[in-house]
Amino acid sequence: MSHGHTAISHDGAAIAYDREGSGPPVVLVGGAFQFRAFDPATKRMATLLAEREYTVINYDRRGRGESAHDAAMDLHHNLADLRAIVSELDRTHELGEGVALFGNSSGGAIALAAAASGLPVTAMVVFEVPMGAEQGPDGAEFLAGIRERVAGDDPDAVVEYFMKDMPTEWLEQAKTSPSWPLMVRIGPSLEADAESLAWTQSAPHAELFGAIEAPTLVLVGEETLDEMTPAAEALATALPNAERRSIHAVQHSWQPEDMAGTIADFLDAHVPR
């Protein structure tokens, strides 16, 4: 694995990433609290996926880990960061026809927004995107609540609010764990997660997703949270070239071996070499 890579985004923010393997490029888009130093499962999955002959890019989203913290954190800037990574792959002549994206949870909504905004995407795999009902108001309300707390003077409140609809024991465990200060530190970066989910409700699904031609695999765990299945069904229906499948995963959490194999099998069938 080669560490220490950086892509410079349009506003000068440095985006840090690891790259592993060689072959068609795959960019891993993390969900709410994910970044490299905090997320061994994704690091392990990246290694296994690289072994299937893909160039795997695992990056820290802005506001997290080794990426810029003193920067705007909204969805627009997160999409620009993905474009910066794509430009870097293009500069080193590794882009080919584009990048495949794996989006985990709210990272799946960011990946979808990137594809909809014209990022050159060859294929996409998304896992349990927690999107609300078509054109529902809850995403916009949630985003407003996050922004209000980010602007306030209680950093803990950002994370507490973000986790308010998750199983209550998740928040209780987080608050008593040594990782709570880290979660609070990256709190402002949750704005993009909330904004990407609000975006999925900002217009009819056909309008938002109808132009995303990339073959897409929509994954749901075998044992999942209630809202994930209807969200996956809605996505698989609205995306022109999508299929829905279940994977061995419990409570929104997958195994690296299963996920790497599932992604690689799908990309093998759809991504040109």
Side-chain angles (χ1 to χ4, degrees):
M1 181 193 305
S2 53
H3 299 281
H5 296 276
T6 307
I8 303 299
S9 198
H10 70 137
D11 60 348
I15 305 302
Y17 63 92
D18 292 334
R19 49 165 304 159
E20 220 171 329
S22 63
V26 186
V27 180
L28 311 181
V29 186
F33 294 102
Q34 291 181 282
F35 58 100
R36 291 171 303 158
F38 195 56
D39 180 17
T42 298
K43 286 187 92 153
R44 174 76 186 130
M45 191 271 280
T47 299
L48 294 166
L49 186 54
E51 286 170 4
R52 294 282 299 262
E53 298 181 359
Y54 289 94
T55 298
V56 183
I57 307 290
N58 185 18
Y59 73 105
D60 289 341
R61 284 177 36 202
R62 57 174 57 216
R64 302 181 183 181
E66 296 178 77
S67 289
H69 282 257
D70 51 349
M73 299 289 175
D74 59 16
L75 179 60
H76 166 76
H77 288 84
N78 273 262
L79 298 183
D81 298 344
L82 280 166
R83 286 194 294 275
I85 290 169
V86 164
S87 298
E88 200 53 35
L89 288 164
D90 193 30
R91 189 182 67 74
T92 54
H93 308 293
E94 295 169 287
L95 185 61
E97 294 182 28
V99 290
L101 297 177
F102 168 64
N104 189 55
S105 189
S106 48
I110 293 173
L112 288 160
S117 76
L119 195 81
V121 175
T122 55
M124 233 182 333
V125 180
V126 296
F127 174 75
E128 293 196 350
V129 180
M131 83 182 182
E134 186 168 14
Q135 290 189 277
D138 46 319
E141 287 163 10
F142 186 68
L143 175 59
I146 284 286
R147 284 184 168 154
E148 191 182 315
R149 284 156 184 83
V150 168
D153 53 11
D154 178 4
D156 289 40
V158 178
V159 179
E160 288 164 359
Y161 184 84
F162 193 87
M163 294 183 74
K164 72 183 176 66
D165 298 323
M166 298 178 190
T168 49
E169 64 273 16
W170 290 13
L171 179 59
E172 286 159 18
Q173 284 165 359
K175 290 187 87 161
T176 55
S177 81
S179 52
W180 181 251
L182 264 181
M183 293 170 74
V184 170
R185 180 167 186 244
I186 68 169
S189 71
L190 296 169
E191 179 181 348
D193 299 85
E195 191 177 352
S196 67
L197 295 171
W199 170 77
T200 67
Q201 295 182 300
S202 64
H205 286 169
E207 206 176 296
L208 292 172
F209 308 126
I212 300 176
E213 292 291 342
T216 303
L217 178 60
V218 179
L219 293 173
V220 177
E222 287 162 2
E223 293 179 48
T224 187
L225 307 169
D226 294 345
E227 68 273 19
M228 298 302 179
T229 304
E233 282 167 3
L235 261 184
T237 302
L239 287 159
N241 197 358
E243 58 183 283
R244 182 169 81 87
R245 214 180 293 164
S246 64
I247 187 170
H248 177 63
V250 178
Q251 287 278 315
H252 205 45
S253 160
W254 39 262
Q255 299 302 316
E257 295 73 16
D258 295 330
M259 187 59 84
T262 300
I263 295 171
D265 289 347
F266 184 74
L267 298 185
D268 285 353
H270 295 285
V271 172
R273 286 192 180 267

